[in-house]
Amino acid sequence: MKSQNVSRAVLAAGVGAVLAATALLYAPEFLGRGTPPPPGPAERAVIAARAGAQAALPDLAALIADREEWLRAHPDDGASWAELGTAYVERGTRLGDVRDYPKAEEALRRSLAERPAARGNTAAQLGLGALAGARGDWRTAREWGERVRKAEPGRWPAYPVLIDAYNGLGDYGSARKAMERLEELHAGAVVRARAAQTYRDRGWREDADAAALDAAALAEADTEKAAALGRLGDLAWERGEPEEALERYGAALGLVRDHGPSLAGRARALAALGRTDGAVRDWRAALARLPLPEYLLEAGELYESLGRDAEARALYERLRTGTWARAEVPLGLLGADHGDPAAAVVRLRAEWARGHRSVGVADALGWALFRAGRAEEALEYVKRATDEGLRSALFSYHRGEVERALGLRGPARRHLTEALRINPAFSPLHAPRAATALATLGEPPEELPEGVLPVAPVGKEKTEKTATAGPGTRA
């Protein structure tokens, strides 16, 4: 769940990059007016997009309203349709509101009708790629991104779309190559944020933190700086440093007081520090601001850990019955831990068959199989999740429990220890269970198992042979 939070923040940055592409090529009638007065909200959104930054949500809403009004009078403006559609995608992603997505698709398709792809309408194609990614349709996102890259290899906003798509498909090698190409083509906060995500996914924690610090330093608008600081908070939280995470989330919220990812992050950190009243308060604020499926699951598990079962069930039901995009992993984990594990296996196997083979899907599928009583099948998937490079306490816990069920005591002990070493408070429900499971396994045996011979120290065997060979003989 923690990895999804960072991924969603980076996805929003990627959509902003696509919006930047439309603004760069097709700046609307705001520009070229001589010496204008201070920019209004819609103009500020265009300026932010041209810089590759996130616009403030009120400014983004103003841009959408302006483009809608403009297109009522100029319905043949394909460039403005692309800009409007991409703005819908960004707003839907940042608010977790899928109702913007059908409007986005309609606008982007209209853009292609007015100006086909063959005539160079890469902006609409990138918008459709970002939309597919927002919906979790990674194959389609890859197709749109690769079309644009083939047509214009130097068009940098294509690469965030491709990075998201490759990660969603579990093609991490291609994602890394796309990241390298993006760094060759462009610089700035959005690229450093992407680099931080790539390093994190490889387990390079210090590099990830350094790149995220760069992103925060390069960010100019408060919205973009808050997103960078929230990302730094996520990285601190994932490595088990809740005090530092709390400081970083606080800095983000000092800039944008209702920054949803930072409210959720602060709730996690407060819970880890035992400040559960504050954690509950922040979870309520986060869900009111950004009701993402992974947040509903996390908040529900906190309530369950506190014995507030009715509130937990209400959140689980809200997750179970809601209309979501990219919710297969939290829905699968919900079924595995709080519902029907067998149904969760069916759901996640369907996602796997669609080619969605990220570490998150692998871990969730392995866990659902384990919870459904199929530990031997589960082992393949939990290994895949932990072996890619991402250091996730939750993934290590899941693998340790699967290994424990299979009687693999040594590996189980190692992975449960690793989970608690990475982040001792990684989950209000599962971290205590990891500690209990580790205690049940006990200390490693001092005696070797029957049939296993001790390994002689290096050089000892040769010395003994030499000593017994006698004078004048060869060892």
Side-chain angles (χ1 to χ4, degrees):
M1 289 178 288
K2 289 31 169 212
S3 63
Q4 292 173 24
N5 299 335
V6 181
S7 298
R8 186 175 289 272
V10 174
L11 174 64
V15 178
V18 175
L19 183 58
T22 67
L24 281 167
L25 291 181
Y26 308 120
E29 74 278 7
F30 303 131
L31 306 181
R33 291 177 175 172
T35 305
E43 293 168 286
R44 288 197 299 267
V46 171
I47 293 167
R50 292 181 70 195
Q54 285 188 7
L57 282 169
D59 293 352
L60 184 61
L63 174 61
I64 289 172
D66 185 275
R67 292 296 84 201
E68 289 173 337
E69 181 181 355
W70 169 266
L71 286 163
R72 281 192 287 270
H74 306 85
D76 59 348
D77 184 350
S80 288
W81 281 114
E83 189 174 43
L84 176 62
T86 305
Y88 281 140
V89 178
E90 179 169 359
R91 185 174 69 178
T93 300
R94 288 171 60 186
L95 292 177
D97 190 348
V98 299
R99 292 174 297 180
D100 269 329
Y101 295 161
K103 293 187 288 186
E105 182 163 11
E106 182 180 357
L108 293 164
R109 297 287 181 188
R110 179 65 182 270
S111 176
L112 286 175
E114 297 295 339
R115 185 181 183 191
R119 289 171 49 198
N121 190 354
T122 54
Q125 295 177 77
L126 285 176
L128 286 165
L131 174 61
R135 287 171 161 168
D137 184 358
W138 301 119
R139 283 178 172 170
T140 301
R142 179 185 63 188
E143 289 170 7
W144 284 115
E146 289 181 346
R147 284 186 194 181
V148 173
R149 180 172 61 181
K150 184 177 180 181
E152 297 185 35
R155 193 159 171 72
W156 75 265
Y159 292 90
V161 172
L162 285 169
I163 292 166
D164 282 332
Y166 292 140
N167 282 331
L169 294 168
D171 186 357
Y172 294 104
S174 293
R176 288 191 284 269
K177 290 178 182 178
M179 182 66 234
E180 291 169 3
R181 182 60 174 151
L182 175 60
E183 289 182 301
E184 293 170 1
L185 294 171
H186 196 62
V190 66
V191 175
R192 298 311 294 156
R194 285 280 167 179
Q197 173 77 354
T198 299
Y199 296 148
R200 166 190 171 274
D201 291 346
R202 300 185 75 172
W204 299 355
R205 290 184 157 185
E206 292 182 1
D207 296 294
D209 208 58
L213 283 167
D214 289 344
L218 292 168
E220 296 183 2
D222 285 352
T223 303
E224 188 178 26
K225 190 173 286 290
L229 289 166
R231 190 172 300 114
L232 281 163
D234 289 338
L235 292 170
W237 160 255
E238 288 177 357
R239 62 175 181 263
E241 298 176 0
E243 295 90 349
E244 183 175 345
L246 204 61
E247 181 180 343
R248 290 172 168 184
Y249 293 131
L253 291 164
L255 295 170
V256 179
R257 63 175 184 162
D258 61 347
H259 187 245
S262 292
L263 285 168
R266 191 168 69 179
R268 283 185 217 109
L270 288 170
L273 294 168
R275 296 161 61 181
T276 55
D277 288 344
V280 168
R281 182 184 62 247
D282 275 349
W283 269 126
R284 285 176 177 161
L287 291 172
R289 175 64 179 76
L290 187 59
L292 299 180
E294 55 267 33
Y295 291 176
L296 290 167
L297 179 60
E298 267 192 277
E301 291 187 339
L302 173 63
Y303 288 142
E304 186 176 337
S305 74
L306 297 174
R308 300 167 68 158
D309 294 344
E311 292 170 277
R313 286 194 299 270
L315 290 176
Y316 297 153
E317 186 62 19
R318 185 176 168 189
L319 171 55
R320 190 175 290 112
T321 59
T323 301
W324 311 107
R326 301 180 62 203
E328 295 307 313
V329 168
L331 283 169
L333 292 173
L334 175 69
D337 285 322
H338 313 286
D340 183 347
V345 169
V346 172
R347 176 187 292 276
L348 290 163
R349 279 206 185 279
E351 194 73 2
W352 193 262
R354 292 172 65 199
H356 298 179
R357 302 187 177 186
S358 67
V359 290
V361 175
D363 169 73
L365 176 53
W367 186 243
L369 284 164
F370 165 72
R371 296 284 291 170
R374 296 155 66 177
E376 289 187 5
E377 293 176 70
L379 187 59
E380 172 192 349
Y381 295 100
V382 293
K383 279 185 174 181
R384 183 164 181 156
T386 54
D387 288 351
E388 180 59 41
L390 174 66
R391 296 191 66 195
S392 165
L394 184 66
F395 291 2
S396 293
Y397 165 64
H398 286 167
R399 180 168 175 175
E401 286 286 48
V402 171
E403 290 167 333
R404 187 165 74 99
L406 293 172
L408 303 172
R409 296 175 64 85
R413 188 181 293 105
R414 182 168 65 253
H415 288 109
L416 291 168
T417 301
E418 182 179 71
L420 295 169
R421 183 184 297 121
I422 291 171
N423 186 352
F426 66 89
S427 163
L429 272 186
H430 298 301
R433 292 171 181 173
T436 299
L438 188 59
T440 300
L441 286 170
E443 295 297 324
E446 294 184 5
E447 296 182 1
L448 292 171
E450 185 178 350
V452 177
L453 297 176
V455 178
V458 176
K460 182 176 180 182
E461 182 179 354
K462 182 175 180 180
T463 302
E464 290 177 349
K465 286 183 178 180
T466 304
T468 56
T473 63
R474 293 184 180 180

